[in-house]
Amino acid sequence: MAQILAYNVSEPTRVTDGAAIPIPLTPAGVGIAQFNLVIPSVPNFVELKAVVGIRGDLNTGSVLFRIFRDGQVISYSREGFESADSEQFYLVPIQMVDPNVTPGAHSYTLSVENLTAGTTATVIGPIVFSGLAVSP
């Protein structure tokens, strides 16, 4: 039976329009949520989940979400957006597993960047990012 080793969450805002973070054009990115986990032992799996609300402001493009552990990218995912009235708002789910993380304190960060020149988008919330470490 799996045993919970650690859990933490970052919830900068739990509601739509709780934030107004402009998404910078790549290669710049902006960290939107961060937490620390202390991992006591291996083997383990760290399940990372996030939900981020964004709004397309100008034209059609895409954004890139990155997850970092201790400053190193461990996952990324891409989401398209439009600025048309009916397709302007998005709630983006992100999920991944980080297996066999070395014991010790680790920092997890979620960032976002705009991949498309000539477009703009904004993180508007909610922003929720969590990590659950378990031993199998």
Side-chain angles (χ1 to χ4, degrees):
M1 180 168 205
Q3 177 184 1
I4 294 175
L5 301 174
Y7 176 78
N8 208 343
V9 64
S10 175
E11 187 179 52
T13 181
R14 63 179 65 186
V15 298
T16 299
D17 293 328
I21 303 167
I23 302 174
L25 191 60
T26 196
V30 61
I32 56 174
Q34 184 274 332
F35 62 82
N36 295 314
L37 276 183
V38 178
I39 308 296
S41 62
V42 289
N44 62 60
F45 294 94
V46 178
E47 183 181 67
L48 299 162
K49 294 181 180 181
V51 174
V52 180
I54 66 170
R55 180 186 67 223
D57 296 322
L58 180 65
N59 296 327
T60 300
S62 62
V63 294
L64 185 70
F65 291 94
R66 295 182 195 258
I67 297 177
F68 295 83
R69 180 183 9 94
D70 302 328
Q72 298 295 315
V73 175
I74 60 170
S75 177
Y76 56 87
S77 59
R78 187 174 183 166
E79 176 73 23
F81 68 86
E82 296 180 14
S83 60
D85 291 337
S86 63
E87 294 292 329
Q88 185 178 16
F89 300 97
Y90 301 85
L91 191 58
V92 183
I94 302 161
Q95 185 171 351
M96 62 106 28
V97 173
D98 191 12
N100 290 320
V101 177
T102 58
H106 298 281
S107 174
Y108 287 91
T109 303
L110 175 65
S111 75
V112 62
E113 60 198 74
N114 185 343
L115 295 175
T116 312
T119 68
T120 60
T122 303
V123 173
I124 59 170
I127 306 168
V128 180
F129 181 40
S130 66
L132 173 67
V134 297
S135 67

